[in-house]
Amino acid sequence: MTGGQERVTIKDVAARAGVSKGAVSLAFNQKPGVSAATRERIFAAARELGWAPSVTARSLSSRRIDIVGLALCRPARLLGLEPFYMDFISGIESVLAERSCSLLLRLVRDLDEEIGLYKEWWRGRMIAGAILVDLREDDPRIPSMEGLGMPAVAVGHPSLAGPFPAVWTDDSSAVGEAVRYLAALGHRRIARVGGPADLGHSAIRTRAFADTVRQLGLEEAPQIATGFEEKEGARATRSLLLGERRPTAIVYDNDIMAVAGAGVAAEMGFTVPDDLSLLAWDDSQLCRITHPTLSAMSHDVHQFGAEVARVLFDVINGEHNGPHQVPTPSLTPRGSTAPAPGHTV
C-alpha cells in the first residue's frame, strides 16, 4: 500500500478471516485442507484488504501452476460473434480473478487436436484442471482424460459426462416450454433450426422438440442441423419459408441464427411476428436490440460460467463428486412472437 500505510500481508488476511496463515496459503494454492466455506471467507478477506499472493512465492512453493485450461472446437470468427461464449468465459474469469488464477484458452480444429492439447498441458504441468464443453454422445475426450487423471468438469448433461462432475441445464424441459408456448399462441407448424447434430445438447433438444410436438398433436415439422453460424441460420430459414408446408413459428438454437432468420423473413416479404414468430435460445443483448426484439429462452450465462469454475476448483481440491444442475432456461417473450395468423388468444 502507499501513502504511508503499511503493506498488507498474509498475516493480516489470516487475522481478518479468523484463520491461520497456513490456511490462507492452502486456499490460494488450491490445496486440500480448508473447507469451501472457509476458502470463500479467506478470499473475501483478501478482497477487502486488497491483498494478492506473490506469484513468485507461489511458483516456488508449488509445482502446480495456477491455470485452468479450456479448449474450444469452434472457428475463431464464430467465437468472436457468439455472445454465449463471451458471457460464459467472463463468468469463468470472474471466479479465477478471485483466486489470482488464469485461464488458458485455445481454439482447436477437431477433437483429436483437443485431446492431444490436454495431454500436453497436463503432462507439462501447465494446468491444474480443465473445462470440457460441447460434449458429444460417446465423446472420445471422456475416456482419454479419465486416463490422464486430470481434474475436469464437463459442461453438459450428466449422461454425457462419464466419470466427471457435470454442470448442466435442463435443455429438454426448456425446449418443451418453448414449444408449448408457441402452441398456446395457436401455432401448429413449428420448425427448429438447431446446432450440429453430433453435439450432445443438440441431440437432447432434437428429441425433446419431437416428443413435445407429438404430445401436443402438432403437425410434424422439420428440424435443420447447422453449425451455429449466421449464414447457416439464414440458409435454413430460407429453406423452411420456401417449403410446401411453411412453418408459422421457428425456434433457433442460438441468437445469431435467429437474427439472421429475421432478416431473411423481411427479405422474403414476411412480417415478424404477424406472419412468422421467431424464438431464440440463449438470450443476449443482441436479442434486445434487434427489431422487433427477439423472444428467447433466457438464462444467466455469466453465472453459469462462474458456477463451472467453482465446481472445477472443488474437483481440484477433492471436494466435489456429483452433477450440479444450474437454473433451467426460461421463456422471455418479446416482440418476435405473437398468435399464429388467424388465431386469437
Side-chain angles (χ1 to χ4, degrees):
M1 299 180 68
T2 60
Q5 297 180 356
E6 293 185 2
R7 183 171 63 88
V8 176
T9 68
I10 189 173
K11 182 178 179 180
D12 299 316
V13 175
R16 175 67 66 91
V19 299
S20 67
K21 290 192 297 182
V24 176
S25 179
L26 288 173
F28 273 93
N29 282 293
Q30 303 302 327
K31 295 294 184 64
V34 292
S35 68
T38 300
R39 185 176 293 107
E40 291 300 329
R41 191 165 75 248
I42 291 168
F43 292 150
R47 287 195 300 271
E48 291 168 7
L49 294 173
W51 180 86
S54 162
V55 175
T56 301
R58 292 172 73 186
S59 64
L60 290 173
S61 65
S62 173
R63 297 179 66 194
R64 172 168 288 163
I65 298 174
D66 295 315
I67 297 174
V68 299
L70 172 61
L72 292 174
C73 191
R74 294 284 181 99
R77 178 180 173 277
L78 178 59
L79 183 64
L81 293 173
E82 193 172 31
F84 174 86
Y85 268 117
M86 295 298 98
D87 284 347
F88 182 74
I89 291 171
S90 73
I92 294 172
E93 289 280 13
S94 70
V95 174
L96 297 184
E98 293 177 353
R99 293 159 167 79
S100 298
C101 295
S102 301
L103 178 68
L104 182 55
L105 174 65
R106 184 78 63 83
L107 301 183
V108 296
R109 290 165 296 185
D110 52 42
L111 294 186
D112 287 339
E113 183 180 354
E114 183 174 342
I115 290 169
L117 181 64
Y118 280 128
K119 288 179 179 178
E120 175 187 334
W121 283 351
W122 183 244
R123 290 169 179 167
R125 300 181 183 273
M126 297 175 66
I127 59 174
I131 298 169
L132 292 176
V133 298
D134 289 338
L135 299 179
R136 274 72 167 173
E137 294 181 316
D138 298 320
D139 197 309
R141 292 172 295 176
I142 298 298
S144 293
M145 294 186 68
E146 183 182 11
L148 287 176
M150 178 169 64
V153 167
V155 181
H157 193 273
S159 65
L160 306 169
F164 298 108
V167 183
W168 63 292
T169 60
D170 187 354
D171 283 6
S172 181
S173 294
V175 167
E177 181 183 4
V179 175
R180 285 191 294 272
Y181 164 69
L182 293 170
L185 292 176
H187 295 280
R188 306 292 299 172
R189 293 192 302 278
I190 305 170
R192 172 174 166 265
V193 177
D198 63 338
L199 291 184
H201 71 260
S202 291
I204 288 170
R205 294 180 191 181
T206 298
R207 289 191 292 267
F209 186 92
D211 289 346
T212 307
V213 164
R214 184 170 55 253
Q215 291 164 10
L216 296 176
L218 306 178
E219 292 186 30
E220 186 174 345
Q223 299 188 64
I224 300 177
T226 72
F228 286 129
E229 294 192 47
E230 174 187 356
K231 63 182 180 181
E232 294 187 58
R235 186 182 302 118
T237 303
R238 195 172 289 110
S239 173
L240 290 169
L241 296 182
L242 288 172
E244 183 177 343
R245 300 293 293 170
R246 176 176 65 83
T248 60
I250 304 175
V251 178
Y252 295 85
D253 265 23
N254 73 359
D255 43 7
I256 294 176
M257 294 195 297
V259 171
V264 168
E267 161 203 314
M268 297 180 67
F270 297 104
T271 301
V272 175
D274 295 340
D275 302 320
L276 177 69
S277 286
L278 306 178
L279 194 154
W281 201 280
D282 290 329
D283 194 9
S284 69
Q285 185 67 21
L286 190 59
C287 295
R288 296 186 283 276
I289 63 175
T290 301
H291 182 75
T293 54
L294 281 168
S295 298
M297 299 306 295
S298 305
H299 67 125
D300 191 335
V301 177
H302 177 92
Q303 187 58 35
F304 186 23
E307 194 61 26
V308 167
R310 292 189 191 102
V311 172
L312 177 58
F313 282 117
D314 287 344
V315 173
I316 291 170
N317 289 297
E319 298 173 0
H320 197 283
N321 295 311
H324 182 80
Q325 184 177 355
V326 299
T328 301
S330 59
L331 178 71
T332 300
R334 294 198 183 97
S336 67
T337 49
H343 181 82
T344 57
V345 179

